[in-house]
Amino acid sequence: MENSQIFHDFSVSTSISNDSSSCHLNSSAENQSYEDILNNAVNNSEQNDANEDPESYVVVGQDFEEPVSLEGSVVKDDDEAYELYNSHAFRNGFGTRKGKKEYRSGTRIVRQRFFVCAYEGFKNPDGVVPKSFKKIDRRTGCKASVQFDVDKKTGVYVLSKHSRLHNHSMVPANKRHLIRSHRHISKEQLAFLTTFTCSGTKLADVLRAMRKEVGGEANLGFTVPDAYDAVLAEKKKKLDGCDSNQLIRWFTMRQSKEHDFYYDFQLNEENQLINFFWRDGRMRSDYEAFGDLLIHDTTYRTNKYDMICGPFVGMNLHTQNIMFGVGFILNEKAGTFDWLFNSFLTSMGGKQPVTIMTDQSSAMDKAIR
């Protein structure tokens, strides 16, 4: 009797707390078993949990992005335009890619710029060399994109068209930090990682400390494989002991075989090779004859160490380029140019050119003076 009374009270309280659609629970509670009511409660709880999942709000083929359109937004350059759309994509749970550029007729001036959803288009399997493994192709031909029109006079980017129709589901909020376009290692973070790894600390320990500092991996901005790839790429940019020693041995060998071969190099505080210069006897004889005009350009950085190639070039009587010397430097600071040009002038017996053409005129003038 007491159990029946308790069960009746429970059903009455349940009917009062529910909404109007379940108001008949009290009248039918006496005809239901205790297990039926518990099963109904569990099912309702699971349904509520499913409704809280961000993916459950996605309606494929509908405009389900945030209601505020980006049309009319104005930014100053290409980087800010991409950042604007990428930030919008992060809030809505999808990735982005840089689309095509359209140029003004007969020029390389950008007229329109497009950024698209990461699921845009389809990969073309034709002409692809078969591999032992195959990556998952997640592209669905999504049409979501933005179009920026570049003002001809001011050069600012104006967002003129924003298509928000996706044909795929969105990424839940707790997984959005894993999207490729939203993962990035800043210069400060990379410097922090390389500093501790060079000091003997394991990279896994450094990452564990960084995750704790920012409150979890979701706030870190990159994944563990991204960190390992970035540190490895940074390491490859520097001359290691094997390459440095091999280079110096090659310079020494040439100097022993050629009576007028000259080389010089510079080390940092950790005895790592950072700058070097060389020239042979033919280069010096050409400089003696045609050294009135000296051209120095530091725009070439195609080597795997990301060092700056700074060749010293002149022109002969047939308007042909001739080489006076070659230098590789780590940066474009005034002190680096000072060392490089002192090495060049020393190798040429102190003879200074009459005219200098360079892309670094201020640093060059300071180094020559």
Side-chain angles (χ1 to χ4, degrees), residues 111-122:
R111 181 175 63 88
Q112 287 181 334
R113 184 63 157 119
F114 297 86
F115 300 101
V116 299
C117 174
Y119 289 84
E120 182 269 345
F122 298 95

Side-chain angles (χ1 to χ4, degrees), residues 95-164:
T96 60
R97 289 188 290 113
K98 293 183 178 180
K100 64 180 181 179
K101 292 181 180 179
E102 291 188 0
Y103 300 93
R104 300 191 183 278
S105 178
T107 66
R108 296 294 295 176
I109 301 175
V110 178
R111 181 175 63 88
Q112 287 181 334
R113 184 63 157 119
F114 297 86
F115 300 101
V116 299
C117 174
Y119 289 84
E120 182 269 345
F122 298 95
K123 290 186 177 180
N124 184 12
D126 298 337
V128 178
V129 179
K131 298 181 179 179
S132 58
F133 65 93
K134 184 178 180 181
K135 294 183 179 179
I136 300 176
D137 186 7
R138 301 183 183 276
R139 297 193 184 184
T140 60
C142 182
K143 299 296 183 180
S145 63
V146 290
Q147 172 184 322
F148 284 89
D149 293 337
V150 182
D151 188 86
K152 187 176 182 180
K153 295 181 179 180
T154 61
V156 298
Y157 284 57
V158 181
L159 201 154
S160 60
K161 184 178 180 181
H162 183 189
S163 176
R164 300 185 293 171

Side-chain angles (χ1 to χ4, degrees), residues 196-341:
F196 277 90
T197 52
C198 291
S199 302
T201 307
K202 293 182 179 179
L203 185 58
D205 296 334
V206 181
L207 291 173
R208 191 178 298 110
M210 293 180 68
R211 285 196 296 267
K212 185 177 181 181
E213 182 70 20
V214 299
E217 186 177 2
N219 301 323
L220 198 58
F222 57 88
T223 61
V224 174
D226 294 335
Y228 278 92
D229 293 341
V231 172
L232 181 61
E234 188 70 13
K235 183 178 180 181
K236 288 182 177 180
K237 291 181 180 180
K238 298 181 180 180
L239 282 168
D240 57 19
C242 296
D243 290 341
S244 302
N245 294 333
Q246 184 65 26
L247 179 67
I248 300 303
R249 282 197 294 267
W250 182 75
F251 284 156
T252 304
M253 179 190 66
R254 289 200 58 180
Q255 193 175 52
S256 62
K257 296 181 179 180
E258 304 175 24
H259 72 92
D260 200 15
F261 182 84
Y262 179 90
Y263 74 93
D264 192 8
F265 59 90
Q266 190 178 30
L267 306 177
N268 61 7
E269 295 80 3
E270 300 176 355
N271 290 326
Q272 295 175 336
L273 183 64
I274 55 175
N275 305 315
F276 57 91
F277 166 81
W278 82 92
R279 65 114 184 101
D280 56 21
R282 175 66 179 272
M283 294 178 181
R284 178 165 184 175
S285 61
D286 288 339
Y287 183 76
E288 292 290 342
F290 309 107
D292 293 340
L293 173 63
L294 178 64
I295 303 173
H296 183 68
D297 190 6
T298 57
T299 58
Y300 305 100
R301 311 185 189 197
T302 57
N303 57 90
K304 72 175 185 178
Y305 303 107
D306 199 28
M307 297 186 73
I308 304 169
C309 177
F312 295 88
V313 183
M315 185 178 296
N316 60 17
L317 297 178
H318 303 283
T319 66
Q320 297 174 336
N321 290 338
I322 52 177
M323 190 75 69
F324 296 149
V326 180
F328 278 84
I329 55 179
L330 189 63
N331 54 59
E332 295 179 310
K333 296 181 180 180
T336 303
F337 277 110
D338 186 39
W339 173 88
L340 180 61
F341 279 91

